Every structure is written in structure tokens, then in C-alpha cells.
Amino acid sequence: GVGAKAVNALSSYFKAQSIRNGQAKMVEFSGGIILQDFPENVTEEKNGTLITFTPDSKYFGNFHFISEYVEKLLWNYVFLNNGLSIYFNGERFFAKNGLLDLLERNINGGALYPIIHLKEGDLEFAFTHMSSQYGEEYHSFVNGQNTTQGGTHQAAFREAIVKTIREYYKKDFDPGDVRASIVVALSIKVQEPVFESQTKTKLGSQYIEPEGQTIRNYVTDIVKRNLDNYLHMNQDVADIIYQKILRSEKERKEIAGI
């Protein structure tokens, strides 16, 4: 895609090698111009793609890679692909509990109750409420892409969790009181997704697949069914959430009074 083309154009050396079903193909470039197009050859290597590049010093000068940024991206890959191992600078990146591991790595204590982690079909989500923060925090993904600006899937989840909580407790809670101090990790897979910009930071799709169910209905159905079951089977957590909502409501009304 455009990302690989941009890297190629800005690299003094760029090599792309593809291995499929015992056949290997390799092409070398410099500044986006082909240096050598190697013929296909037989190989015993496993299927895969190898990209090697050196950033062009005339554009980037005395460059270096920021390890902390690369590591954050790699962690997201393994959180979203259970069982995948990625090795970077001698360190193994691996997660076996998906988005549960993502939240545990990011919240650093302070959760009011054990993280609720649920998944069904093409939707996975994990969340908890925090004792020491206000507002809402989301780590949302579409087809592995970190949608930092949210989109239709995140909007649907925010609506679904309020609807589910209201129906479970049979109380018409204010949405802000339900979601106050919540931390969420959310991942959905969408066929032919439509993003609102080239950077793919916000999902604009209305449907989970072409001519299929809307993302809003899909997310609402899964969240409502699974979360309602969880709360019925974990009354201690349900009680903590209820008390947390009441505290948020009390604080909100006190601030409004002031």
C-alpha cells in the first residue's frame, strides 16, 4: 500500500522478498527505483514476507529508531493476535489473554474490580472502572488498526454499555455516571472497512459487512447479552459497579449545586 511505497521512496536501500508455496521472489530498490528484479526461485523457507530497508540519510540525516514507540506498536500486535510471538532487539513480545493483557499493562493498578473480558464472533472487549481518574479512556481497534479517534464501533459500545447497565439495574442512570472513570479496550473486525482519513484513526463504516447487520446493532447485541450474563454470575462485581455509579451521580449533583 501507500505506506510501503513511501518507505521505499525514502530509503537508500529497500528489499522486498515474498515466499509462497515453495517459490521465492525478491526485488531490490534505491530511492524507489528498481536496482535488481530477481527471478523466482525454489526455496524451503516458510510462507511469509520480508521487508528490509535503510532510511535515506539525505532526508533523515543521522537518524535513529525510537524503541519505545516501536515496542508500543508491537505490543498492540500481540494483544490483538493471541499466541503470536514477535522478537525485537532480543526481547519476546507475547500475550495469551488478548485485550485483558492490554488493559492490565496500561492501567497499573487502581481498578475497582477485576477486568471484565468478553468476546464473541468478531468483537472482543475488556473494561473496568478506575478509582483514581475521571472521564473515559478507550483503546480501540478495527482489523488490528489502532483507531485513536474511535468511530462507529466505539460510539456503539459507549451506547451499549449504558443500555445494558440501565436494564440490568432497572435504573435510568445518566450515561455520564455509568461511563465515568471507565477504561476500555475494544477490538472489532469489519469487512471492507471505511475510515474517515488515510491514517485510519476513525472508523466511518455503518455495517459489519457489506449488505449485512449494522455495527451499532451487532455491538449492542453482543455487549448486552454477554455483559448481562456476566453481571448475573458475578454479583460482587455488579454491586461494586452499582456503588460506583451512585458515587458518580452524587459527585455530579454536588458539583452542579456549586
Side-chain angles (χ1 to χ4, degrees):
V2 70
K5 291 177 182 177
V7 173
N8 189 353
L10 299 174
S11 297
S12 57
Y13 177 77
F14 184 97
K15 179 176 75 174
Q17 184 176 9
S18 177
I19 300 169
R20 297 290 184 276
N21 304 321
Q23 295 289 317
K25 175 68 177 177
M26 184 170 71
V27 186
E28 292 180 331
F29 302 83
S30 178
I33 306 301
I34 293 179
L35 292 177
Q36 193 164 0
D37 187 349
F38 296 88
E40 287 188 20
N41 64 289
V42 178
T43 181
E44 294 182 359
E45 292 277 350
K46 293 181 179 179
N47 286 356
T49 302
L50 174 66
I51 300 293
T52 306
F53 69 95
T54 303
D56 197 326
S57 59
K58 72 181 180 184
Y59 299 118
F60 300 104
N62 186 23
F63 67 85
H64 71 281
F65 292 99
I66 303 172
S67 296
E68 293 81 4
Y69 181 76
V70 175
E71 288 172 3
K72 182 180 178 180
L73 295 176
L74 298 183
W75 274 119
N76 284 343
Y77 278 124
V78 298
F79 290 141
L80 295 166
N81 297 275
N82 287 359
L84 173 67
S85 290
I86 297 178
Y87 295 86
F88 175 66
N89 287 348
E91 181 182 352
R92 183 193 185 205
F93 292 76
F94 174 80
K96 63 180 180 179
N97 298 309
L99 296 183
L100 172 63
D101 290 344
L102 185 153
L103 277 197
E104 287 182 340
R105 184 176 178 83
N106 282 277
I107 62 177
N108 297 318
L112 290 175
Y113 51 88
I115 295 170
I116 298 174
H117 180 215
L118 302 166
K119 54 185 174 180
E120 179 185 321
D122 292 321
L123 180 69
E124 178 183 3
F125 62 94
F127 74 91
T128 187
H129 285 83
M130 304 297 292
S131 60
S132 57
Q133 74 175 55
Y134 294 93
E136 305 170 45
E137 181 180 336
Y138 291 89
H139 305 269
S140 71
F141 302 86
V142 175
N143 297 358
Q145 177 68 36
N146 189 188
T147 43
T148 54
Q149 294 184 308
T152 51
H153 62 311
Q154 187 169 307
F157 180 86
R158 294 178 74 243
E159 183 181 322
I161 197 165
V162 171
K163 180 179 175 66
T164 304
I165 293 292
R166 281 174 168 175
E167 292 182 4
Y168 176 80
Y169 295 105
K170 296 179 174 61
K171 299 277 188 179
D172 190 25
F173 293 124
D174 183 275
D177 296 331
V178 174
R179 298 191 298 253
S181 77
I182 198 170
V183 181
V184 180
L186 171 69
S187 174
I188 191 170
K189 293 176 182 174
V190 178
Q191 287 188 21
E192 300 179 23
V194 176
F195 294 97
E196 295 194 2
S197 70
Q198 178 61 43
T199 52
K200 301 179 181 178
T201 53
K202 187 174 183 180
L203 180 68
S205 297
Q206 296 296 323
Y207 298 91
I208 191 79
E209 58 185 54
E211 300 178 6
Q213 191 175 15
T214 65
I215 288 175
R216 181 171 180 261
N217 289 344
Y218 183 81
V219 171
T220 299
D221 176 61
I222 292 178
V223 171
K224 184 179 183 303
R225 188 158 23 83
N226 287 275
L227 181 55
D228 185 75
N229 287 342
Y230 181 93
L231 294 174
H232 275 97
M233 293 187 291
N234 296 270
Q235 191 60 50
D236 54 337
V237 173
D239 291 341
I240 293 172
I241 293 176
Y242 183 70
Q243 293 302 320
K244 186 259 161 250
I245 295 172
L246 293 182
R247 284 197 304 275
S248 295
E249 184 179 57
K250 182 173 180 288
E251 291 171 2
R252 175 175 58 81
K253 289 181 178 179
E254 287 176 349
I255 292 172
I258 294 171

